[in-house]
Amino acid sequence: MPVNPDASVLVMQFSKWPEAGRVKTRLMPVLGAEGAMAAHVRLSLAVLDNLVASGYTVQFLWDRALENVPTGAAPVLERLDVHGVAQAVQEGDILGERMSQALDAGLRGFGKAMIVGSDCPSVDADYVRTAVAALDEVDVVLGPSEDGGYVLIGARRVIPGMLADVAWGTENALSQTCDRLTQAGLSFRLLPQRWDVDEPEDWHRFTGQSSG
């Protein structure tokens, strides 16, 4: 285990339960439902390993509570156990609410909190450390993605409504978030651009890098 360089940082990984037909649906035309689910698991594990390697406290947040855990989740649950990562459930109806509530909850116990999605394998340990360092100087840090969204959001301060009325999943998500942060009176910084995995070409990019 790496030495924790800052015990006052919480890094949260957002993820959906692995269920065929519910995850990575844009990969289904080339991978099928089961293949897309397997891709989701592989991506989730890659992101989890990157976040743990950062040395900060990591928490894994599922998209909803389930009575019966899907069998496909076994590899993720095993890795979480190996790393000693705590699990929780996201709260809120839409993504902006879920992220705002998670950041707010995280900041009750930590000086800095951030969120990374399970489809963002380009967020490596050094990128996380860069985001943490940026929060010494600004309230919020964002990691832009190539598709107009973002792969990471971190905060040392949150304001109610700071992520409201954002068109999630569109090319305007980042710019609208920046507008909301400005309106809320929060300072922010953009990190270097990264990429996430949504489309088949993204998946090929990931598999080409991870096998190379």
Side-chain angles (χ1 to χ4, degrees), residues 109-127:
F110 296 81
K112 302 172 184 176
M114 63 186 56
I115 299 167
V116 178
S118 285
D119 58 357
C120 304
S122 63
V123 177
D124 58 19
D126 284 340
Y127 195 78

Side-chain angles (χ1 to χ4, degrees), residues 9-205:
V9 176
L10 177 65
V11 184
M12 295 169 280
Q13 180 173 344
F14 269 31
S15 188
K16 292 181 178 179
W17 284 105
E19 295 175 287
R22 283 197 73 252
V23 294
K24 292 289 122 203
T25 54
R26 281 181 273 180
L27 299 183
M28 286 170 54
V30 293
L31 299 179
E34 292 292 335
M37 184 184 73
H40 171 70
V41 170
R42 183 171 168 184
L43 288 165
S44 298
L45 294 174
V47 172
L48 177 60
D49 287 346
N50 283 346
L51 301 186
V52 169
S54 72
Y56 304 115
T57 300
V58 177
Q59 185 182 43
F60 199 93
L61 274 67
W62 295 105
D63 63 321
R64 68 198 197 285
L66 288 182
E67 282 190 24
N68 299 308
V69 174
T71 56
V76 180
L77 296 174
E78 291 168 5
R79 192 74 59 86
L80 289 169
D81 185 57
V82 168
H83 288 315
V85 171
Q87 302 173 62
V89 176
Q90 300 165 32
E91 302 287 344
D93 295 326
I94 59 175
L95 183 58
E97 292 178 6
R98 289 168 177 252
M99 292 196 296
S100 293
Q101 292 192 38
L103 290 170
D104 183 59
L107 290 175
R108 292 175 202 158
F110 296 81
K112 302 172 184 176
M114 63 186 56
I115 299 167
V116 178
S118 285
D119 58 357
C120 304
S122 63
V123 177
D124 58 19
D126 284 340
Y127 195 78
V128 173
R129 295 186 192 111
T130 299
V132 169
L135 288 175
D136 287 337
E137 302 174 1
V138 295
D139 297 318
V140 177
V141 62
L142 296 163
S145 63
E146 294 178 351
D147 60 6
Y150 41 96
V151 297
L152 175 152
I153 181 171
R156 66 178 183 184
R157 181 174 165 231
V158 296
I159 298 292
M162 71 182 212
L163 298 179
D165 301 319
V166 172
W168 303 109
T170 73
E171 62 184 12
N172 298 316
L174 176 64
S175 61
Q176 290 178 349
T177 297
C178 292
D179 289 343
R180 301 296 176 269
L181 295 175
T182 299
Q183 292 165 8
L186 294 169
S187 60
F188 64 91
R189 178 175 300 172
L190 302 182
L191 299 179
Q193 191 178 75
R194 290 291 186 268
W195 53 276
D196 55 13
V197 176
D198 288 318
E199 304 292 343
E201 54 267 31
D202 304 322
W203 174 246
H204 296 317
R205 183 180 189 177

